[in-house]
């Protein structure tokens, strides 16, 4: 994996996906150089979504980082997608369904089960991973548990709150040291136009068995970031950033 590679930022991903469909024959599992384990902070999703976020029909998820995807990538850092049409069958993940409900749920409104999300993720990225359906989801969940990103942040004094912000360099250092490799952070904006931690990108080898350093990562974060709150009362149809209280800003670290 070339350390000088540049990660394709989120705003280009929709373009890449559209063009990849037309050139799907060019993308194969043989093109995999490494994979991105993408972990999403649900509090950021709830605050940036115009519809808020909803309690999943499948039941209560954990108050933790969720798996968003395991993205296979080529040597230049570009995500690979739509490599083939191997189908997704829910029975193939029946033994890990509880973990999927807890750590890979759908909190999008209107409320739904996770099956649609799992199927779409498999159809777009899983088919390029070189893994079968079960191993794709199982390895991603196992990596998430092994990393325990929320504990890494807490142990470094970085807690989820709407009342403080943190130095991006301190957050990045804490995650990199905790994971043992260079990672990437992508941010969204909250109602106060502040950068909020949305997703963390952790790179693993092509077999998804070992953490490796990510190539150069172009993030969208400001020099100070908010690691916003996430509570169960945010999982409502009418939840929105407008419900958040007016805050007195405290800068930490």
């Amino acid at each position: 994996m070339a350390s000088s590679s540049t990660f394709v930022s989120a705003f280009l991903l929709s373009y890449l996906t559209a063009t990849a469909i037309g050139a799907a024959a060019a993308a194969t599992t043989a093109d995999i150089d490494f994979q991105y384990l993408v972990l999403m902070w649900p509090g950021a999703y709830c605050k940036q979504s115009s519809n808020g976020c909803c309690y999943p029909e499948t039941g209560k998820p954990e108050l933790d980082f969720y798996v968003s995807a395991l993205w296979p990538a080529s040597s230049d850092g570009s995500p690979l997608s739509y490599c083939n049409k191997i189908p997704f069958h829910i029975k193939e993940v029946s033994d890990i369904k509880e973990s999927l409900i807890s750590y890979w749920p759908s909190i999008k409104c209107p409320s739904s089960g996770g099956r649609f999300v799992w199927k779409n993720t498999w159809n777009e990225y899983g088919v390029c991973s070189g893994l079968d359906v079960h191993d794709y989801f199982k390895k991603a969940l196992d990596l998430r548990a092994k990393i325990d990103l929320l504990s890494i942040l807490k142990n470094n004094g970085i807690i989820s709150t709407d009342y403080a912000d943190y130095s991006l360099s301190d957050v990045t250092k804490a995650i990199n040291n905790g994971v043992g490799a260079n990672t990437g952070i992508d941010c969204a904006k909250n109602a106060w136009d502040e950068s909020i931690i949305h997703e963390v990108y952790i790179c693993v080898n092509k077999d998804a068995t070992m953490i490796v350093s990510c190539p150069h990562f172009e993030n969208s974060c400001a020099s100070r970031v908010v690691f916003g709150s996430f509570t169960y009362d945010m999982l409502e149809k009418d939840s929105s950033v407008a419900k958040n209280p007016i805050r007195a800003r405290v800068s930490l670290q």
Side-chain angles (χ1 to χ4, degrees):
M1 179 175 60
S3 60
S4 61
S5 299
T6 301
F7 172 75
V8 179
S9 56
F11 73 90
L12 287 177
L13 186 55
S14 59
Y15 170 78
L16 286 171
T17 298
T19 55
I21 295 174
T28 69
T29 56
D31 297 321
I32 301 174
D33 189 65
F34 67 100
Q35 305 207 46
Y36 291 106
L37 176 68
V38 187
L39 300 180
M40 179 191 74
W41 181 242
Y45 175 85
C46 295
K47 290 178 174 66
Q48 70 168 333
S49 171
S50 59
N51 294 322
C53 50
C54 286
Y55 197 97
E57 289 181 354
T58 46
K60 181 185 290 187
E62 293 294 325
L63 296 176
D64 206 331
F65 280 88
Y66 298 154
V67 179
S68 179
L70 184 63
W71 285 356
S74 60
S75 59
D76 67 356
S78 302
L80 303 174
S81 58
Y82 301 106
C83 295
N84 57 59
K85 295 183 179 180
I86 298 173
F88 171 85
H89 297 294
I90 191 67
K91 65 181 181 181
E92 296 180 71
V93 293
S94 59
D95 64 315
I96 56 172
K97 191 173 180 180
E98 290 303 315
S99 293
L100 287 169
I101 290 170
S102 295
Y103 297 107
W104 204 323
S106 171
I107 57 174
K108 183 179 180 180
C109 294
S111 181
S112 65
R115 182 173 180 173
F116 181 78
V117 169
W118 306 330
K119 180 179 179 180
N120 280 358
T121 303
W122 169 258
N123 288 343
E124 186 169 0
Y125 299 113
V127 293
C128 298
S129 67
L131 304 171
D132 61 29
V133 172
H134 182 272
D135 283 354
Y136 175 78
F137 290 97
K138 180 69 162 57
K139 287 190 174 185
L141 289 168
D142 286 348
L143 285 165
R144 191 219 66 83
K146 177 181 179 181
I147 293 164
D148 194 4
L149 190 54
L150 191 59
S151 291
I152 289 174
L153 293 172
K154 285 181 178 179
N155 291 340
N156 284 273
I158 301 166
I159 59 173
S160 61
T161 175
D162 295 315
Y163 299 90
D165 62 7
Y166 303 91
S167 163
L168 175 63
S169 61
D170 287 343
V171 175
T172 301
K173 181 179 179 180
I175 295 174
N176 288 353
N177 288 344
V179 170
N182 291 333
T183 60
I185 301 174
D186 197 46
C187 292
K189 293 286 189 178
N190 63 13
W192 296 272
D193 201 37
E194 298 166 321
S195 283
I196 54 175
I197 297 172
H198 180 213
E199 291 178 325
V200 176
Y201 292 76
I202 298 167
C203 294
V204 298
N205 64 349
K206 64 189 300 181
D207 298 321
T209 57
M210 181 175 65
I211 295 171
V212 298
S213 283
C214 290
H216 179 63
F217 191 96
E218 297 290 341
N219 67 59
S220 58
C221 303
S223 60
R224 299 198 68 83
V225 296
V226 175
F227 181 35
S229 63
F230 177 55
T231 59
Y232 285 126
D233 61 9
M234 296 170 69
L235 295 176
E236 300 174 336
K237 178 63 184 294
D238 296 326
S239 67
S240 69
V241 292
K243 288 187 175 182
N244 290 327
I246 296 175
R247 304 159 301 159
R249 167 62 62 229
V250 177
S251 292
L252 301 177
Q253 299 187 353

